[in-house]
Amino acid sequence: MVKRIVPFCLAAVMVFAFLLPAFSQMDMTVLSDPAFGEGQRPPAVFEHDAHNEKAELFDCAVCHHYYEDGEKVEGMDSIGMPCSDCHPADPGSDELGLMEAYHTQCIDCHEQEGQGPLACGECHVK
Ligand code: HEC
Ligand code: HEC
Ligand code: HEC
Ligand code: HEC
């Protein structure tokens, strides 16, 4: 049993170590979504990898969720797809617009956790 598990774990670790750098967003320090065009506010502070480590967010789909026919698909994620692919910057009345999508995702969690910024100027830092 152990003999079979060990190589499996090793293989899993190797695959992980190989894939992780490809997905790493170490360079991302702010969000300034080009879909907003000029934008009214300074970019929002978001050090992707450091933030997610501190907040212990290891399930990528918490933010990169995937939907099909209006239903969230558990076990799937939308890594590689910008939020703006599904949340338009200029939404129709029945759509969740891009700004609301970002604000709801970021602020709801900060409120629930009692941690992380809630005020405009704490995210959109001049
Ligand atoms: C938890 C962080 C956070 C807080 C708090 C927050 N925002 Fe944002 N906001 C974002 C993110 C992330 C985006 C999308 C990325 C970007 O800035 O382009 C965004 C986008 C925007 C945009 C559209 C892009 C632009 O610059 O025109 C506006 C306008 C905006 N926010 C205004 C506000 C205002 C006003 C408040 C306070 C009432 C606020 N935000 C609070 C994170 C935040
Ligand atoms: C707290 C929310 C959050 C978590 C958790 C998160 N991300 Fe992201 N990630 C974002 C946001 C926001 C963007 C910018 C999206 C955009 O530009 O439309 C982004 C962008 C990316 C990008 C750039 C390409 C793209 O999809 O737009 C990659 C790759 C990525 N994330 C991978 C990951 C991986 C892998 C994980 C899990 C280990 C993860 N993310 C977890 C919020 C998150
Ligand atoms: C594959 C398409 C798709 C992508 C990519 C996507 N979303 Fe969504 N999202 C949806 C759909 C569909 C809904 C259901 C609400 C609606 O009708 O718009 C939704 C709902 C939401 C909600 C409200 C429900 C909830 O789960 O909290 C928020 C907030 C949200 N998205 C934020 C984001 C952010 C931020 C990103 C990028 C990190 C993102 N979404 C990427 C399709 C997507
Ligand atoms: C699922 C929960 C969750 C989501 C979603 C989330 N955050 Fe956070 N965020 C946290 C927690 C928890 C902390 C406090 C982490 C700590 O300092 O220990 C935090 C802290 C922060 C901080 C303080 C500095 C730092 O990096 O620790 C910033 C800035 C921030 N979040 C921005 C954002 C933005 C912008 C988004 C949306 C794109 C977002 N967060 C989405 C949970 C979340």
Side-chain angles (χ1 to χ4, degrees), residues 32-119:
S32 181
D33 198 314
F36 291 116
E38 278 278 295
Q40 304 161 26
R41 294 267 161 176
V45 181
F46 184 64
E47 294 182 42
H48 190 279
D49 288 8
H51 172 275
N52 296 343
E53 255 165 60
K54 270 192 270 179
E56 296 178 17
L57 298 175
F58 304 119
D59 178 6
C60 311
V62 168
C63 299
H64 297 281
H65 54 209
Y66 187 73
Y67 277 76
E68 223 170 64
D69 304 325
E71 298 284 330
K72 195 187 270 180
V73 186
E74 297 301 335
M76 292 268 288
D77 63 59
S78 56
I79 293 164
M81 287 172 81
C83 311
S84 59
D85 270 17
C86 305
H87 299 289
D90 194 7
S93 55
D94 59 341
E95 289 174 307
L96 181 64
L98 188 59
M99 185 176 78
E100 206 189 331
Y102 276 116
H103 284 162
T104 304
Q105 185 168 89
C106 310
I107 295 167
D108 274 12
C109 180
H110 292 167
E111 274 174 350
Q112 272 164 31
E113 296 286 324
Q115 289 184 83
L118 302 172

